[in-house]
Amino acid sequence: MAATTTMIHVRVDENVKAQAAETLASMGLSLSDAIRVFLTRVVADKELPFAIRAPNADSRAAMAEASELIKSHNARFTNAEALIDELEKASPE
C-alpha cells in the first residue's frame, strides 16, 4: 500500500525562503526535504528538534535585575565561590 501524502502551505518572507533554500541545497536538501525531516523528528521525539530560548516574563525580570545589580556593583556575592558556599549552606543534607 502506498503512503498517502498531503500538501502543507506556509507563508514565509521571500528572502528567508531563498536563503533557506540556498543553505539547504548546499546540504543536498530541498525545502520540502527539510520540512519532512523536521516533522518526522517532531513525531518521533514528541518535541521540537531544537531548543526555543525565548525567556518568559520571570526570566526577563531576573535578567533585568541581574543587569541592574551588575551596573550598580551591588551584588550579594563578591565571587562565584562565595555564592556556592552560600548555596551549600542553604542546601538540605
Side-chain angles (χ1 to χ4, degrees):
M1 180 184 228
T4 303
T5 62
T6 188
M7 184 74 75
I8 297 176
H9 298 275
V10 178
R11 292 199 177 274
V12 65
D13 180 272
E14 187 177 342
N15 290 326
V16 170
K17 178 184 175 187
Q19 291 174 12
E22 183 178 334
T23 301
L24 290 164
S26 74
M27 297 179 221
L29 295 170
S30 68
L31 286 170
S32 293
D33 294 333
I35 292 168
R36 276 191 291 277
V37 168
F38 170 78
L39 293 175
T40 300
R41 294 305 324 166
V42 168
V43 170
D45 299 337
K46 305 283 190 264
E47 63 184 15
L48 290 174
F50 49 82
I52 301 293
R53 294 190 172 96
N56 63 24
D58 289 340
S59 295
R60 285 192 303 273
M63 290 185 301
E65 180 182 357
S67 292
E68 286 303 314
L69 287 171
I70 290 168
K71 286 178 192 173
S72 69
H73 301 287
N74 194 18
R76 289 177 45 205
F77 303 99
T78 56
N79 58 44
E81 187 174 306
L83 169 62
I84 292 170
D85 289 344
E86 184 68 23
L87 289 172
E88 287 176 348
K89 288 179 196 173
S91 174
E93 299 279 331

